[in-house]
């Protein structure tokens, strides 16, 4: 039985519990219609879908992630994570091929590819662990969205002279987003993948150009020395930007020729690297320690910033109900809430948004929540689970003569264990750093305990 789904669910909901937590391009949740599925995705189209899934709100935090790494170490982490996420994603693709070879029930449409891989690899606990991690990732992404939308909306309207605190804007944003979550997952969203990716690239290009021009006005740039805390913070921030690698099996299942999936994955990683690396390098080395967790807030006032804020807001608002829908469906099924439109669904989803708002008001920091999600659940889904599941499924073929034998070369097994160890060690340290930063930062006082909520303000930009 698929998780979070009912027999009446539409095809557009098949990608239940996918870890899509990205802001800019998450509106391209790749709701591929039956017509597209019938024809199958080509290599380039699949690469666009993969890029569109992964390039999202995480890119806005990359420049700030360079602080504390000296810049160059952070850029090396982006390069390393790009290669590792590509390897990890292709291993997941191979896992799905093994499931199709061995089990007939996976040769058709499957609603929960990641949990299915986990269960066949290590048993029931794998499914449960992956579902919990994916749900936390998606709801964590929902918190990030509330803070980010509030920041961008407050900045945009603030430029017109209307000022409110971030804490108040988050309440307004949550109230406006709540009715959107009552609906089912939007259908036929697949054409937005191309537009979302193009918009992401244009927004990043405007941010880079503006930051470089702003940097010329700074007389003395400050680049903090590398620290362990800064490196672990960068680990979480950069990992968040690669969360979508765990959705690779879904796209692979929709390709005409699944054997060419690795080509699409490599192309997608090339596109991401072409976005992430210049964004981090240009903005950080142009502004130094003046970069912000949300780099848009570090831009000077002008049409460029307004254009970027509008583009990001459109994507974030349309993406919010999409990323919070899968875990909502899962919990609604557990609670016995009917799948059709009804008051119980509206009440549950309204309470869910209220819960996310409470977390956002408790930790009113885009970067802090993003770092925590990236360091914990995203690391599990991208660095730790895929290589481990891949080795378990491959090794299982040795005892089953009727299955195609898959013997891993030594280098691949070493690489898989290296990823797991890096994920465990780096993820644990980065999670600890993220939690400590949440409690020790200047924003550690929740909004609802502040005497004057205007203490949490939204940067108006400008240098």
């Amino acid at each position: 039985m698929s998780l979070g789904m009912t027999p009446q669910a539409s095809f557009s909901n098949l990608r239940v519990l996918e870890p899509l937590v990205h802001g800019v391009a998450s509106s391209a949740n790749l709701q591929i219609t039956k017509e597209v599925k019938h024809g199958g995705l080509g290599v380039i189209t699949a690469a666009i879908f993969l890029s569109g899934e992964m390039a999202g709100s995480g890119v806005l935090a990359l420049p700030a992630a360079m602080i504390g790494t000296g810049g160059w170490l952070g850029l090396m982490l982006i390069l390393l994570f790009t290669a590792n996420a590509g390897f990890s994603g292709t291993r997941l693709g191979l896992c799905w091929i093994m499931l199709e070879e061995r089990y007939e029930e996976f040769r058709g449409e499957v609603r929960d590819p990641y949990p299915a891989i986990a269960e066949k690899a290590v048993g029931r606990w794998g499914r449960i662990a992956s579902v919990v991690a994916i749900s936390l990732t998606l709801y964590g992404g929902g918190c990030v969205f509330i803070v980010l939308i509030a920041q961008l909306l407050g900045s945009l309207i603030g430029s017109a002279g209307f000022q409110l605190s971030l804490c108040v804007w988050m309440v307004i944003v949550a109230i406006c987003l709540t009715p959107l979550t009552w609906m089912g997952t939007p259908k036929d969203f697949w054409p937005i993948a191309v537009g979302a990716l193009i918009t992401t690239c244009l927004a990043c290009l405007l941010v880079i150009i503006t930051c470089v021009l702003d940097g010329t006005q700074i007389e003395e740039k400050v680049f903090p020395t590398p620290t362990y805390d800064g490196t672990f913070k960068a680990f979480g921030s950069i990992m968040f930007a690669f969360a979508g690698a765990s959705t690779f099996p879904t796209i692979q299942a929709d390709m005409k020729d699944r054997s060419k999936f690795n080509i699409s994955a490599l192309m997608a990683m090339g596109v991401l690297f072409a976005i992430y690396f210049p964004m981090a390098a240009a903005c950080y080395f142009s502004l130094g320690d003046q970069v912000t967790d949300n780099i848009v807030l570090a831009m000077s006032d002008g049409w460029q910033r307004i254009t970027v804020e509008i583009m990001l807001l459109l994507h974030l608002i349309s993406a919010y109900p999409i990323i919070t829908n899968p875990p909502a469906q899962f919990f609604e099924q557990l609670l016995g809430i009917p799948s059709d439109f009804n008051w119980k669904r509206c009440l549950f989803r309204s309470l869910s948004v209220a819960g996310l708002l409470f977390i956002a008001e408790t930790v009113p920091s885009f970067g802090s929540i993003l770092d925590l999600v990236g360091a914990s659940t995203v690391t599990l889904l991208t660095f730790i689970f895929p290589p481990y599941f891949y080795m378990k499924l491959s090794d299982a073929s040795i005892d089953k003569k009727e299955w195609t034998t898959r013997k891993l070369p030594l280098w691949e097994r070493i690489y898989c264990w290296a990823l797991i160890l890096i994920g465990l060690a780096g993820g644990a340290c980065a999670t600890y750093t993220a939690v400590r930063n949440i409690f020790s930062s200047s924003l550690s006082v929740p909004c609802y305990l502040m005497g004057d909520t205007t203490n949490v303000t939204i940067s108006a930009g400008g240098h």
Side-chain angles (χ1 to χ4, degrees):
M1 183 182 73
S2 63
L3 290 165
M5 297 300 297
T6 57
Q8 296 81 15
S10 67
F11 179 85
S12 64
N13 284 329
L14 294 181
R15 281 131 188 91
V16 64
L17 291 176
E18 285 183 347
L20 299 178
V21 293
H22 324 292
V24 181
S26 287
S27 55
N29 191 12
L30 311 188
Q31 308 299 328
I32 306 174
T33 60
K34 290 182 179 179
E35 291 73 16
V36 174
K37 178 74 170 68
H38 177 73
L41 298 174
V43 173
I44 296 178
T45 311
I48 293 173
F49 273 66
L50 292 170
S51 305
E53 277 199 339
M54 297 181 69
S57 59
V59 71
L60 302 178
L62 291 180
M66 300 300 102
I67 298 179
T69 67
W72 297 110
L73 177 58
L75 294 176
M76 287 175 61
L77 283 177
I78 293 178
L79 177 60
L80 179 65
F81 282 20
T82 302
N84 291 344
F87 177 83
S88 178
T90 54
R91 295 319 97 176
L92 272 177
L94 292 173
C95 286
W96 191 248
I97 289 177
M98 284 187 268
L99 259 62
E100 288 186 328
E101 289 176 351
R102 301 170 187 178
Y103 308 100
E104 187 175 348
E105 64 266 30
F106 295 115
R107 292 169 191 166
E109 294 171 352
V110 178
R111 295 164 177 158
D112 51 356
Y114 200 108
I117 289 173
E119 184 169 20
K120 291 301 181 183
V122 298
R124 186 67 179 172
W125 75 264
R127 173 178 283 272
I128 295 173
S130 63
V131 166
V132 170
I134 292 170
S135 298
L136 290 175
T137 300
L138 288 168
Y139 275 140
C143 286
V144 171
F145 275 30
I146 289 175
V147 179
L148 187 55
I149 292 172
Q151 284 183 341
L152 295 173
L153 193 61
S155 173
L156 184 63
I157 297 180
S159 63
F162 185 72
Q163 301 288 342
L164 286 175
S165 72
L166 176 62
C167 297
V168 175
W169 274 118
M170 286 193 290
V171 174
I172 295 173
V173 166
I175 292 173
C176 295
L177 289 176
T178 297
L180 298 179
T181 66
W182 297 343
M183 311 300 173
T185 303
K187 300 179 182 179
D188 305 330
F189 261 24
W190 68 267
I192 299 180
V194 177
L197 183 59
I198 293 174
T199 306
T200 302
C201 294
L202 290 176
C204 289
L205 184 62
L206 280 175
V207 171
I208 291 171
I209 293 173
T210 305
C211 287
V212 170
L213 293 176
D214 290 347
T216 61
Q217 307 299 318
I218 301 176
E219 295 182 1
E220 185 177 351
K221 301 171 187 176
V222 179
F223 301 101
T225 56
T227 62
Y228 287 112
D229 284 353
T231 302
F232 290 133
K233 182 183 185 302
F235 185 101
S237 297
I238 298 170
M239 181 56 71
F240 189 91
F242 288 96
S246 50
T247 65
F248 279 24
T250 303
I251 308 303
Q252 182 182 21
D254 291 303
M255 291 186 67
K256 293 177 184 176
D257 186 352
R258 296 175 185 177
S259 65
K260 295 182 179 179
F261 174 75
N262 284 359
I263 300 175
S264 298
L266 292 175
M267 292 173 64
M269 287 301 156
V271 171
L272 288 178
F273 185 74
I275 296 174
Y276 290 174
F277 195 87
M279 184 77 162
C283 294
Y284 176 71
F285 287 112
S286 295
L287 302 180
D289 63 352
Q290 293 190 30
V291 294
T292 54
D293 284 340
N294 175 2
I295 190 60
V296 176
L297 301 183
M299 297 172 64
S300 58
D301 295 328
W303 67 268
Q304 298 95 331
R305 176 168 170 168
I306 293 175
T307 302
V308 169
E309 288 172 343
I310 291 174
M311 287 193 292
L312 295 181
L313 280 170
L314 289 175
H315 282 299
L316 288 164
I317 292 170
S318 61
Y320 184 85
I322 297 174
I323 71 162
T324 56
N325 188 290
Q329 287 182 315
F330 171 61
F331 288 112
E332 285 165 5
Q333 188 180 48
L334 288 180
L335 297 172
I337 297 175
S339 60
D340 57 345
F341 187 85
N342 59 85
W343 70 269
K344 291 182 179 179
R345 176 209 271 186
C346 295
L347 176 62
F348 174 78
R349 297 192 180 190
S350 298
L351 291 175
S352 297
V353 176
L356 297 182
L357 173 64
F358 176 78
I359 296 173
E361 295 279 354
T362 303
V363 188
S365 170
F366 164 68
S368 296
I369 302 175
L370 181 145
D371 290 343
L372 179 59
V373 175
S376 55
T377 55
V378 174
T379 301
L380 274 177
L381 294 167
T382 305
F383 262 23
I384 299 173
F385 284 168
Y388 184 65
F389 295 161
Y390 174 64
M391 288 191 291
K392 295 290 287 186
L393 287 172
S394 297
D395 293 343
S397 66
I398 298 175
D399 299 326
K400 296 276 189 177
K401 293 184 178 180
E402 65 272 22
W403 291 351
T404 302
T405 303
R406 292 181 178 274
K407 187 176 181 180
L408 298 185
L410 181 60
W411 72 265
E412 191 172 19
R413 191 174 295 274
I414 292 175
Y415 194 178
C416 286
W417 278 114
L419 278 184
I420 293 172
L421 292 175
I422 291 172
L424 286 172
C429 293
T431 300
Y432 170 76
T433 301
V435 172
R436 193 183 65 186
N437 287 343
I438 287 174
F439 288 102
S440 64
S441 70
S442 58
L443 296 179
S444 58
V445 180
C447 288
Y448 45 81
L449 294 181
M450 292 182 182
D452 181 8
T453 55
T454 56
N455 290 332
V456 182
T457 58
I458 300 170
S459 171
H463 296 290

